[in-house]
Amino acid sequence: MDMVVRTDAEAVGLSSQRLGRIDGWMDRLVEEGKLAGLSVTVARRGGVAYRRSAGLADQARGTAMAEDTIVRIYSMTKPLTSLAILMLYEEGRFQLDDPITRFLPCFRDQRVMAGGARGRVETVPAVRDISFRDLLTHTSGLTYGFMESTLVDALYRSEGVDFQTSDATLGEVVERAARLPLLAQPGTAWNYSIATDVLGHLVAVISGRPFEDFLQERVLRPLGMADTGFQVPPEKLPRFAANYARGPDGRPALIDDPATSRFIQPGRICSGGGGLCSTAGDYLRFCRLMLNKGELDGTRLLGRKTVELMTANHLGGDMAAMGQPRFSESSYEGIGFGLGFSVMLDPARAQVLGTPGEYAWGGAASTAFWIDPAEEMAVILLTQLMPSSTYPIRRELRVLTYQAIID
């Protein structure tokens, strides 16, 4: 549980009256049956100016959504995995432009899709190997099977390249992916993918320790993220939220009961791309670490220059200029990508309130966070509704938080 001090909103340049607009928005989402429950945290200049929960974490059991509710954060795992691999980068273990074949020879001699029809994929040789930077920026040519929009996506499904449900090991699923064609030449197109799962495996290979052990010992425990992990233990089950999808009547329909969820099963594959569960308080500790340029409460995980590199745009422009939008936890116009985060380039092009240099990501169950260094602000939205594109709640909350700035 995060012990950061709750602060008077006006003392940190926010209007408590304007922040109160978030109350009505949250209550409407619950009353209209769009979400079972949600929580919002707004932190600025070292204090929490707004923290509120509404609705239910578990409708069947009548459990209220609370500050310490544990949720599936899915792709909000990715920034933590990126942090872990960059800790090894700081130890001099590799360079960003190094080929990953240095550590994963299974990715040698890759082929790239050049066309195809009737289930046959035509390929050409990869011009170069995938680099660490390609993985961190989602420009590796890898994909996701659930996209269901290319022949390569279909191959991922048929060959069992799935880090969420597979019974295989992390390394075995990575090797399956390495045998399949890439969607694009490495470094040429932005495509959301399993790249961060491959990074998790690289953490294990380079450090010589299981990925989950490295993350626990080097990241989660030092940060005091005591409720964050790949498995929800039995004693924390009463705090574990149910997961929902929009039902035929428009109301939340149960898709994952906490009592039978795979997130409570031991031995599950530890997905660096989407396997963690966490709480608002825990994730706020990560956000504060990033706002503090790699240090929190006397514990430094990254150097300031590494955080600055991590949160800079590494694309040639915005995501829209780097390929055909298919799916991600972000819009594409006016948004770039760093080493594990989307990066705001131009709020006018993105058509939403924000600040150039603000960085963010979200998860498949409609969770989201963003960190704004210029405004010294972090916002966390937790709920459990799949898919994340069901309602535009992230953009709505951006407006509600930024309109409250009064200094």
Side-chain angles (χ1 to χ4, degrees):
M1 186 72 178
D2 185 65
M3 299 308 292
V4 69
V5 178
R6 287 183 189 247
T7 192
D8 176 67
E10 277 71 18
V12 292
L14 295 166
S15 162
S16 51
Q17 180 263 324
R18 283 177 162 263
L19 283 173
R21 294 173 176 176
I22 302 173
D23 294 9
W25 172 77
M26 294 174 77
D27 293 340
R28 281 194 303 277
L29 286 169
V30 173
E31 287 162 10
E32 292 171 3
K34 290 180 176 176
L35 300 176
L38 71 161
S39 75
V40 172
T41 304
V42 181
R44 197 175 194 214
R45 295 179 187 151
V48 171
Y50 183 93
R51 181 179 263 172
R52 183 174 183 261
S53 303
L56 298 175
D58 186 330
Q59 292 181 327
R61 295 171 181 86
T63 311
M65 193 79 179
E67 288 180 15
D68 63 350
T69 295
I70 297 170
V71 303
R72 303 152 195 78
I73 60 169
Y74 288 115
S75 286
M76 279 168 58
T77 305
K78 288 180 169 74
L80 289 159
T81 303
S82 302
L83 168 68
I85 195 75
L86 286 169
M87 289 170 75
L88 293 170
Y89 167 69
E90 285 195 332
E91 293 174 9
R93 306 289 193 99
F94 64 89
Q95 292 299 300
L96 292 177
D97 55 359
D98 280 352
I100 63 169
T101 49
R102 262 190 67 191
F103 302 97
L104 299 179
C106 58
F107 280 95
R108 285 189 186 131
D109 304 320
Q110 286 225 266
R111 308 285 297 182
V112 179
M113 184 175 81
R118 298 194 179 121
R120 271 185 72 86
V121 181
E122 297 168 12
T123 65
V124 295
V127 173
R128 64 165 174 82
D129 288 339
I130 295 168
S131 70
F132 282 86
R133 181 177 174 276
D134 295 332
L135 293 177
L136 283 157
T137 57
H138 289 288
T139 57
S140 62
L142 296 166
T143 185
Y144 267 126
F146 68 76
M147 300 278 198
E148 300 191 5
S149 58
T150 72
L151 291 171
V152 179
D153 300 346
L155 285 175
Y156 273 49
R157 295 194 299 278
S158 65
E159 297 300 317
V161 179
D162 184 345
F163 292 91
Q164 291 296 315
T165 60
S166 178
D167 292 328
T169 67
L170 179 58
E172 286 167 349
V173 182
V174 168
E175 287 186 8
R176 289 175 192 171
R179 292 194 291 265
L180 300 177
L182 300 175
L183 268 189
Q185 291 287 351
T188 63
W190 194 91
N191 190 63
Y192 200 40
S193 75
I194 63 162
T196 318
D197 289 291
V198 178
L199 286 170
H201 183 48
L202 279 161
V203 168
V205 171
I206 295 168
S207 70
R209 298 150 75 190
F211 170 55
E212 59 270 30
D213 291 355
F214 184 96
L215 199 68
Q216 182 64 239
E217 293 162 18
R218 296 284 303 276
V219 177
L220 301 177
R221 194 173 299 147
L223 283 181
M225 295 176 69
D227 284 330
T228 303
F230 292 105
Q231 180 192 348
V232 179
E235 67 273 15
K236 296 181 182 179
L237 191 55
R239 291 195 280 131
F240 187 30
N243 198 7
Y244 299 94
R246 187 169 183 259
D249 61 354
R251 303 188 74 81
L254 184 69
I255 56 171
D256 190 35
D257 187 322
T260 55
S261 172
R262 58 189 170 77
F263 285 93
I264 69 170
Q265 310 299 330
R268 198 172 60 86
I269 196 167
C270 294
S271 162
L276 287 175
C277 293
S278 189
T279 64
D282 271 17
Y283 214 84
L284 180 59
R285 291 193 65 78
F286 168 67
C287 292
R288 289 176 62 214
L289 172 92
M290 296 302 297
L291 272 174
N292 293 341
K293 299 292 179 77
E295 183 270 336
L296 180 65
D297 298 340
T299 297
R300 180 166 290 282
L301 299 190
L302 284 180
R304 174 173 65 85
K305 299 301 291 185
T306 307
V307 172
E308 289 168 358
L309 182 67
M310 191 180 185
T311 57
N313 179 36
H314 287 250
L315 306 183
D318 61 12
M319 288 193 273
M322 286 286 290
Q324 289 298 311
R326 302 198 308 146
F327 169 86
S328 83
E329 301 298 343
S330 168
S331 54
Y332 283 63
E333 297 286 340
I335 311 279
F337 208 84
L339 304 179
F341 306 91
S342 63
V343 180
M344 175 68 78
L345 302 178
D346 184 345
R349 285 203 68 201
Q351 298 186 66
V352 72
L353 293 180
T355 310
E358 155 226 302
Y359 51 98
W361 206 239
S366 303
T367 60
F369 78 98
W370 61 94
I371 298 171
D372 188 327
E375 294 293 349
E376 301 174 77
M377 192 159 90
V379 180
I380 300 165
L381 165 65
L382 297 185
T383 186
Q384 297 283 265
L385 183 77
M386 296 181 80
S388 59
S389 56
T390 308
Y391 303 111
I393 57 174
R394 295 167 178 172
R395 291 173 76 81
E396 290 169 358
L397 183 59
R398 279 177 167 274
V399 176
L400 286 162
T401 51
Y402 277 117
Q403 60 84 33
I405 295 174
I406 54 172
D407 61 1

